[in-house]
Amino acid sequence: MTVTSEQRFGEFVVVRGHEGLEHVAELVLDRPKAMNAVSTDMARSIAAACDALAADRDVRVAVLTSSHERAFCVGADLKERNSFTDAELVRQRPTARAAYTGVLELPMPTVAAVHGFALGGGFELALSCDLIVADPTAVVGLPEVSVGVIPGGGGTQLLPRRVGAARAAELIFSARRVPAAEARELGLVDELVAEGRDRAEALALAGRIAANSPVGLRAAKRALRLGHGLDLRAGLEVEDSAWRSVAFSGDRAEGVAAFNEKRKANWPGE
């Protein structure tokens, strides 16, 4: 992505680059009047932005952020949902699902920067990322059963992968909201930073990650995701396949050469 470039996807989603942060793209949830509640239009825009990011070989890391000062994302737009007929809800489901799978299936490492409310679908967007950086104002949770549904953006599958089946069951069945300190203790978020610093620290982390081989990063993510939950022998086969995809790459040759020549690698990205 071009440094400092910005592209808007519909009314509610922005993707931008930053000077001094090469190969890092920021995907901004930008519906502040609704605390980033995910409407049909916003879901469509998230999916479109993720499609564009996935196709951009210059992007090595994506950071998911919010333009609202008091919320990351409060989940699905229940005001919109309240107007749906059953048939309309059925038709809307693939659009909503595409937003969450769009983030989940991004091929490069992803970091969520969370402050304020990250509830329901909002927390599922964060869970779809590889790492979650939060500040002390963060309040996370999957309260869907309290309104008669279940987490439908990957929550029932992603949460137990983070915290185990029993803990995930307690959090989902109780529908409770978890404050930042407890969320860090339980592993619901990965880093807890100073108030107001979640975005800056997530971008800084992304910059450190982006200094590494883009081929290696994508292959490592693929091995981590595909190998999770497999038995050890099957997981090692997944790892071997990912290793073979990078072992004869230009990045591998450049990385070894740079190490031996004691210089910074100039990754060809292939």
Side-chain angles (χ1 to χ4, degrees), residues 14-218:
V14 178
V15 174
R16 65 168 64 106
H18 293 274
E19 189 171 2
L21 275 178
E22 290 186 278
H23 310 295
V24 174
E26 182 181 7
L27 195 166
V28 186
L29 305 176
D30 188 33
R31 196 187 178 202
K33 291 183 180 180
M35 300 181 82
N36 290 328
V38 182
S39 64
T40 302
D41 285 345
M42 187 173 178
R44 192 175 291 115
S45 294
I46 292 170
C50 288
D51 284 345
L53 283 172
D56 191 340
R57 299 295 298 186
D58 190 54
V59 176
R60 299 179 190 173
V61 188
V63 181
L64 183 61
T65 69
S66 162
S67 66
H68 195 286
E69 62 182 16
R70 292 189 295 109
F72 175 72
C73 173
V74 295
D77 186 340
L78 296 185
K79 290 182 179 179
E80 180 189 62
R81 293 280 180 91
N82 192 48
S83 70
F84 284 173
T85 64
D86 288 352
E88 287 170 335
L89 184 59
V90 168
R91 288 196 295 271
Q92 195 258 3
R93 173 61 177 166
T95 301
R97 190 175 180 186
Y100 300 104
T101 56
V103 176
L104 183 65
E105 294 178 359
L106 283 170
M108 70 287 290
T110 52
V111 183
V114 174
H115 60 266
F117 297 116
L119 301 173
F123 190 39
E124 287 173 308
L125 287 172
L127 288 172
S128 296
C129 295
D130 300 298
L131 296 165
I132 303 174
V133 175
D135 86 351
T137 69
V139 178
V140 306
L142 297 175
E144 283 87 347
V145 298
S146 70
V147 293
V149 291
I150 69 166
T156 64
Q157 305 305 304
L158 295 171
L159 191 59
R161 283 167 166 78
R162 268 190 167 264
V163 300
R167 178 63 67 190
E170 183 269 319
L171 292 167
I172 291 171
F173 295 161
S174 69
R176 70 184 181 94
R177 300 180 178 191
V178 183
E182 184 185 0
R184 176 66 184 89
E185 182 180 340
L186 295 178
L188 298 173
V189 304
D190 302 301
E191 292 190 25
L192 194 58
V193 300
E195 185 170 342
R197 293 287 300 170
D198 55 291
R199 176 176 174 272
E201 296 294 341
L203 287 168
L205 173 59
R208 295 192 294 274
I209 294 171
N212 297 306
S213 158
V215 171
L217 288 172
R218 291 185 179 220

